[in-house]
């Protein structure tokens, strides 16, 4: 048995709820300091605000379709407005105008937010889990395990995830955001993230408390879960957020080539607008092209900025 | 040094082997249906089986794998389902891609690390704020969109680059017609020569810098090397007698290179800025200042030299992604490179070409990593120490 804080709290003789509340207060106090560091970074706060705006966008689309927008006109895929010529410039009826197929741009923009979130979060979770597991195992076991895992991540470092996703997209046209996100997460996790987390885990392993835990008789599972993984959390979450940026751009890239058009995302909107640009004889539809491009940039920027803020929390050397 | 190189090469080869095995099994097993079921609809059963036999698609998967590996070791990437050799077609598209990749990466790296260094050194202010902001904007921009904007503004509106770049035609093929009237050089040979002279010019500059430092303890000032590098390259083109067509090619390649620089600049700059800020808090910077060294010395020799190391290791990770960026740019400007060839093959379900292209991307990345490893050894004394301790490196003096 090991002497963790649970046992110590048991010893004092507290009930379950009290134990929980003490622990929660401890975590709160620790994260309060982290929040102060985070909040000092204006850009990171901007990222949080942007993220909030996107969340509102994602939630508002189904509500708007239920209440204000008649679905025959405003449906993101099949909608058509017979009252105007298409493509129509922004007006009070269509706030961002319509595209050359007569669909409301704002509705399409909002509808694409949810799949993007789903994709990003799937990619982030899988990247974090795979990367942290690989990094921790490499650093803890060393030797043969480390060698094999390092070779695997070396190989995955050579694989460009967006191109790979295009290949998958060609093969399985029915792949939705969850599966594409999982593929991106797997490649990013096995490749770059594992390399970064491994080198960080090695520095953790060199810390004296790991040695102490080992001398105290801690098993491998205990040391990895209790001593090795917790200090890796900030860096892991940073890599997680960065992988959202990568995944969203890669997914838009797949749709941009018109290879998976079975679900709507911002890349699809850009693709269809550019594809019909020549055939229907119109000029460049800036009002259709600009919103999804800006949304894509801001969405990835939001996650990038939060990751940058977290980097300052994760790396105490940067705290001045 | 030789042991170090051998070890690193072996490691790169193992990674490359794992990579191609993964690519092979993935493309073979996961993509449902092969070429014959996909496109040979009108064929009867016997003819289809004959075609499968001819293309070697009827063998069990592991035998196909061994065959493919065997041919690969013999230096052949196989035959496309449309009958042409993949090796030849890759040879045809590789030089144009490399031209953009190498020049773009070098330019982006230098501008990025210089901007990052400078903004971190100056601290917060309107100029550094603006450049940080634009770096974030470039880093998070959607690459096809950026490429589209570049073509729209630089070709259509300002007409700075030849309009061949956005019409549906191959700019190099046009160029080849014009070229064949004046000389017997092919565009690809010309581009290969250009690449070689550019690498040579870079090496001359680096070696010259070292010699200068050894003999007079001075270094080439940055503005001088910035002017000298293109001057050396262009001068050697004229000296070898292909100056005019080479400049025309550079004019064609200007837009893809510019777009690529913009795409990859942001990341380098942001990382350099962060690590530079990191190092400015270190104690050896205070020591260097206390010694009374001039500020530019502290900045360039003490802070920047340490800060640039993580930028290099990040470059290793992002190499394949940079190559992906090239695919998009080539698509947007009709540049006849690897990306175009690969996307076409993807549309046509031409698996051997796709595998060949992925393999080339992997090989370029591993080669670039080897080069970066050596460069890191050269700039990072800790890496050098570790290599010496592991017995890979004699006590060489750099």
């Amino acid at each position: 048995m090991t002497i963790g804080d649970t046992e110590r709290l048991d010893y004092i003789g507290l009930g379950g709820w009290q134990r929980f509340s003490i622990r929660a207060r401890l975590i709160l106090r620790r994260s309060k300091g982290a929040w102060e560091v985070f909040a000092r970074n204006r850009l990171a706060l901007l990222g949080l605000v942007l993220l909030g705006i996107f969340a509102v966008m994602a939630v508002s689309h189904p509500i708007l379709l239920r209440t204000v927008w008649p679905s025959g006109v405003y449906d993101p895929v099949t909608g058509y407005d017979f009252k105007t010529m298409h493509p129509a410039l922004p007006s009070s009826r269509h706030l961002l105008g319509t595209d050359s197929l007569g669909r409301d741009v704002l509705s399409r923009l909002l509808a694409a937010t949810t799949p993007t979130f789903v994709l990003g979060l799937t990619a982030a979770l899988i990247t974090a889990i795979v990367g942290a597991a690989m990094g921790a195992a490499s650093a803890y076991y060393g030797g043969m395990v480390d060698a094999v895992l390092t070779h695997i991540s070396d190989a995955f470092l050579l694989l460009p995830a967006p191109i790979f996703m295009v290949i998958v997209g060609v093969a399985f046209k029915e792949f939705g955001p969850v599966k594409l996100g999982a593929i991106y997460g797997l490649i990013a996790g096995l490749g770059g993230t594992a390399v970064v987390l491994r080198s960080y885990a090695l520095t953790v392993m060199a810390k004296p408390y790991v040695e102490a835990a080992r001398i105290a008789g801690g098993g491998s599972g205990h040391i990895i879960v209790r001593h090795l993984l917790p200090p890796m959390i900030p860096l892991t979450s940073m890599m997680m957020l960065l992988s959202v940026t990568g995944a969203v751009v890669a997914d838009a890239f797949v749709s941009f080539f018109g290879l998976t058009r079975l679900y709507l995302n911002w890349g699809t909107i850009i693709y269809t607008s550019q594809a019909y640009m020549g055939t229907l004889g119109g000029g460049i539809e800036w009002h259709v092209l600009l919103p999804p491009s800006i949304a894509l940039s801001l969405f990835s920027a939001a996650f990038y900025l939060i990751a940058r803020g977290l980097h300052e929390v994760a790396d105490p050397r940067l705290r001045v | 040094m030789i042991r170090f190189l051998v070890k690193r090469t072996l490691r790169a080869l193992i990674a490359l082997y794992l990579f191609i095995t993964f690519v092979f099994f993935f493309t073979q097993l996961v993509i449902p249906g092969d070429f014959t079921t996909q496109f040979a609809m009108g064929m009867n059963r016997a003819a289809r089986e004959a075609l499968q036999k001819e293309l070697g698609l009827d063998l069990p998967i592991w035998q196909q794998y061994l065959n493919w590996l065997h041919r690969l070791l013999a230096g052949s990437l196989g035959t496309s389902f449309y009958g042409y050799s993949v090796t030849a077609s890759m040879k045809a598209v590789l030089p144009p891609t490399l031209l953009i990749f190498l020049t773009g990466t070098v330019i982006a790296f230098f501008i990025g690390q210089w901007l990052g260094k400078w903004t971190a050194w100056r601290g917060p202010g309107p100029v550094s704020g603006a450049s940080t902001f634009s770096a974030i904007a470039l880093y998070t921009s959607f690459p096809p969109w950026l490429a589209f904007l570049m073509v729209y503004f630089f070709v259509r509106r300002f007409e700075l680059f030849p309009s061949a770049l956005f019409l549906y035609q191959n700019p190099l093929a046009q160029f080849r017609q014009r070229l064949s009237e004046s000389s017997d050089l092919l565009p690809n040979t010309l581009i290969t020569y250009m690449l070689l002279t550019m690498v040579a010019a870079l090496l001359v500059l680096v070696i010259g810098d070292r010699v200068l430092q050894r003999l007079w303890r001075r270094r080439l000032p940055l503005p001088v090397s910035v002017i000298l590098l293109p001057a050396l390259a262009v001068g050697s083109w004229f000296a070898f007698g292909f100056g005019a067509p080479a400049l025309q090619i550079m004019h064609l390649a200007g837009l893809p290179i510019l777009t690529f620089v913009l795409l990859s600049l942001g990341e380098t700059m942001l990382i350099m800025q962060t690590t530079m800020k990191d190092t400015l808090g270190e104690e050896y910077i205070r020591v260097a200042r206390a010694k009374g060294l001039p500020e530019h010395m502290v900045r360039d020799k003490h802070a920047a030299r340490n800060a640039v190391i993580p930028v290099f290791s990040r470059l290793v990770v992002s190499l394949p992604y940079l190559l992906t960026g090239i695919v998009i740019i080539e698509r947007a400007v009709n540049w006849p490179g690897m990306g175009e060839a690969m996307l076409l093959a993807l549309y046509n379900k031409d698996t051997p070409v796709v595998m060949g292209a992925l393999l080339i991307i992997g090989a370029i990345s591993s080669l670039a990593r080897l080069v970066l490893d050596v460069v890191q050894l050269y700039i990072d004394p800790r890496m050098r120490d570790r290599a010496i301790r592991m017995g890979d490196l004699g006590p060489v003096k750099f």
Side-chain angles (χ1 to χ4, degrees):
Chain A
M1 273 308 280
T2 53
I3 307 173
D5 19 344
T6 354
E7 282 84 1
R8 218 176 300 141
L9 292 177
D10 262 340
Y11 185 69
I12 304 169
L14 293 172
W17 167 248
Q18 276 164 311
R19 217 193 304 161
F20 175 77
S21 75
I22 288 178
R23 199 176 260 184
R25 241 179 287 155
L26 272 175
I27 292 174
L28 201 70
R29 196 187 299 157
R30 225 178 294 155
S31 49
K32 213 172 168 189
W35 167 253
E36 270 164 17
V37 176
F38 184 82
R40 223 180 291 151
N41 189 338
R42 294 263 178 80
L43 284 176
L45 286 182
L46 178 68
L48 273 187
V49 170
L50 282 175
L51 195 62
I53 293 176
F54 280 109
V56 169
M57 279 171 67
V59 174
S60 66
H61 185 255
I63 299 175
L64 279 173
L65 267 186
R66 286 271 164 73
T67 54
V68 198
W69 289 347
S71 69
V73 180
Y74 287 98
D75 187 277
V77 182
T78 56
Y80 191 88
D81 190 353
F82 289 98
K83 289 197 179 132
T84 48
M85 292 285 283
H86 301 293
L89 287 176
S91 61
S92 60
R93 197 171 154 74
H94 299 282
L95 284 178
L96 290 176
T98 58
D99 67 2
S100 43
L101 298 180
R103 300 173 292 196
D104 184 71
V105 177
L106 182 64
S107 167
R108 278 168 79 71
L109 189 76
L110 296 184
T113 318
T114 317
T116 311
F117 262 114
V118 171
L119 172 110
L121 293 182
T122 322
L125 274 181
I126 291 186
T127 310
I129 293 169
V130 173
M134 292 264 292
S138 270
Y140 183 81
Y141 293 105
M144 205 51 207
V145 177
D146 184 28
V148 170
L149 291 182
T150 309
H151 281 308
I152 292 178
S153 22
D154 267 0
F156 273 92
L157 268 182
L158 299 178
L159 190 68
I163 291 182
F164 189 75
M165 279 163 74
V166 171
I167 295 176
V168 175
V170 171
F172 304 100
K173 291 223 184 261
E174 77 278 12
F175 263 26
V178 175
K179 283 184 185 166
L180 281 178
I183 292 167
Y184 183 89
L186 212 58
I187 297 175
L190 287 173
T193 312
V195 172
V196 173
L197 289 181
R198 173 183 171 267
S199 59
Y200 186 73
L202 278 176
T203 64
V204 176
M205 282 303 290
K207 295 254 165 73
Y209 61 78
V210 177
E211 196 70 33
R214 203 177 268 165
I215 292 167
S220 55
H222 168 80
I223 292 180
I224 290 179
V225 173
R226 276 298 175 82
H227 298 287
L228 184 53
L229 286 178
M232 283 166 68
I233 288 176
L235 191 66
T236 312
S237 17
M238 195 189 107
M239 297 305 289
M240 202 167 134
L241 294 174
L242 287 182
S243 102
V244 175
T245 306
V248 167
V249 170
D251 172 57
F253 174 67
V254 177
S255 324
F256 172 75
F257 289 115
L259 293 168
T260 53
R261 267 176 289 153
L262 286 169
Y263 73 97
L264 183 69
N265 67 15
W266 293 320
T268 323
I269 305 179
I270 301 176
Y271 166 77
T272 34
S273 169
Q274 289 199 341
Y276 293 118
M277 202 194 292
T279 52
L280 296 183
I284 297 171
E285 304 162 342
W286 291 105
H287 67 282
V288 185
L289 279 174
L290 272 173
S293 321
I294 293 174
L296 254 174
S297 289
L298 288 183
F299 192 83
S300 6
F303 282 95
Y304 174 74
L305 292 176
I306 299 173
R308 245 169 92 102
L310 263 184
H311 177 75
E312 278 176 34
V313 179
D315 196 345
R317 277 187 307 168
L318 276 177
R319 291 187 200 171
V320 187
Chain B
M1 189 67 190
I2 289 168
R3 257 192 87 164
F4 176 80
L5 276 181
V6 168
K7 247 185 171 173
R8 284 297 156 125
T9 316
L10 267 180
R11 196 177 147 180
L13 283 179
I14 293 176
L16 203 58
Y17 169 73
L18 285 176
F19 170 72
I20 59 174
T21 307
F22 174 75
V23 165
F24 179 86
F25 280 106
F26 183 79
T27 43
Q28 294 296 314
L29 287 176
V30 168
I31 295 183
D34 56 30
F35 179 73
T36 54
T37 54
Q38 204 69 37
F39 284 103
M41 295 295 198
M43 275 183 179
N44 58 22
R45 203 183 162 83
R48 217 182 77 195
E49 271 166 13
L51 185 62
Q52 271 184 337
K53 196 162 196 125
E54 191 196 315
L55 296 172
L57 295 171
D58 58 334
L59 299 169
I61 185 87
W62 58 270
Q63 213 165 337
Q64 284 189 41
Y65 171 66
L66 288 182
N67 279 347
W68 185 65
L69 217 58
H70 183 241
R71 260 177 294 162
L72 200 66
L73 286 178
S76 152
L77 291 171
T79 323
S80 149
F81 288 150
Y82 290 89
Y84 56 87
S85 148
V86 178
T87 322
S89 79
M90 284 295 127
K91 259 186 199 151
V93 294
L94 197 55
T97 296
L98 277 184
L99 178 69
I100 297 174
F101 177 63
L102 289 181
T103 31
T105 311
V106 170
I107 295 174
F109 179 78
F110 276 102
I111 299 180
Q113 65 97 22
W114 187 81
L115 267 180
K117 180 175 89 176
W118 192 74
T119 47
W121 184 254
R122 291 284 289 268
V127 181
S128 78
S131 49
T132 309
F133 186 79
S134 28
I136 292 176
L138 284 176
Y139 176 63
T140 55
S141 70
F142 184 44
W145 168 247
L146 184 69
F148 169 76
L149 281 186
M150 296 294 285
V151 172
Y152 179 78
F153 282 109
F154 283 95
V155 179
R156 282 199 184 176
R157 289 310 271 284
F158 305 142
E159 293 173 3
L160 283 176
F161 292 104
S163 62
L165 286 174
F166 81 98
L167 300 172
Y168 288 101
Q169 47 194 308
N170 181 339
L172 281 188
Q174 266 188 334
F175 178 72
R176 183 175 165 180
Q177 281 177 347
R178 261 185 290 145
L179 192 68
S180 60
E181 290 161 14
S182 55
S183 76
D184 51 352
L185 272 175
L186 289 174
N188 271 348
T189 337
L190 188 60
I191 292 178
T192 318
Y193 286 160
M194 283 161 66
L195 279 172
L196 287 178
T197 48
M198 279 195 262
V199 171
L202 197 63
L203 280 180
V204 164
L205 216 63
V206 169
I207 293 172
D209 192 40
R210 301 307 297 181
V211 169
L212 210 65
Q213 202 177 10
R214 208 46 84 66
L215 294 182
W216 290 286
R217 307 199 119 273
R218 304 272 298 267
R219 301 199 70 170
L220 277 179
L222 189 73
V224 174
S225 28
V226 165
I227 297 167
L228 213 56
L229 183 61
L232 268 178
V234 176
S236 64
W237 297 343
F238 277 101
F240 285 120
F242 50 81
L247 281 185
Q248 278 173 6
I249 283 196
M250 280 318 271
H251 188 206
L252 276 174
L255 186 69
I257 291 178
L258 187 63
T259 318
F260 181 64
V261 166
L262 286 181
L263 266 182
S264 41
L265 175 82
E267 194 183 16
T268 314
M269 190 212 140
L270 290 169
I271 296 171
M272 182 69 187
Q273 196 187 36
T274 326
T275 52
M276 184 80 178
K277 262 189 211 154
D278 252 346
T279 39
L280 286 184
E282 297 276 355
E283 293 197 338
Y284 54 78
I285 299 297
R286 213 172 301 160
V287 172
R289 283 225 174 97
K291 280 197 292 193
L293 288 177
E295 283 291 276
H296 69 93
M297 206 79 141
V298 178
R299 184 187 63 205
D300 294 341
K301 293 202 80 172
H302 292 257
R305 208 172 151 172
N306 278 295
V308 88
I309 292 164
V311 182
F312 268 107
S313 27
R314 179 68 207 177
L315 206 58
V316 172
V317 177
S318 48
L319 275 172
Y321 293 88
L322 293 180
L323 284 165
T324 316
I326 290 189
V327 174
I328 297 158
I329 295 167
E330 282 175 358
R331 181 78 180 174
V333 301
N334 291 311
W335 186 251
M338 290 252 315
E340 266 301 284
M342 192 162 131
L343 279 174
L344 195 69
L346 264 173
Y347 281 123
N348 294 337
K349 287 241 170 186
D350 200 348
T351 326
V353 179
V354 176
M355 280 198 295
L358 271 178
L359 196 66
I360 299 270
I361 288 183
I364 295 176
S365 311
S366 351
L367 204 68
R369 267 166 81 178
L370 263 179
V371 174
L372 286 180
D373 273 346
V374 175
V375 171
Q376 266 185 328
L377 205 63
Y378 168 78
I379 54 172
D380 189 351
R382 278 167 297 186
M383 288 272 279
R384 221 180 302 155
D385 272 355
R386 203 193 302 158
I388 291 172
R389 251 186 290 127
M390 286 167 77
D392 294 343
L393 200 67
V396 263
K397 203 167 174 323
F398 276 94

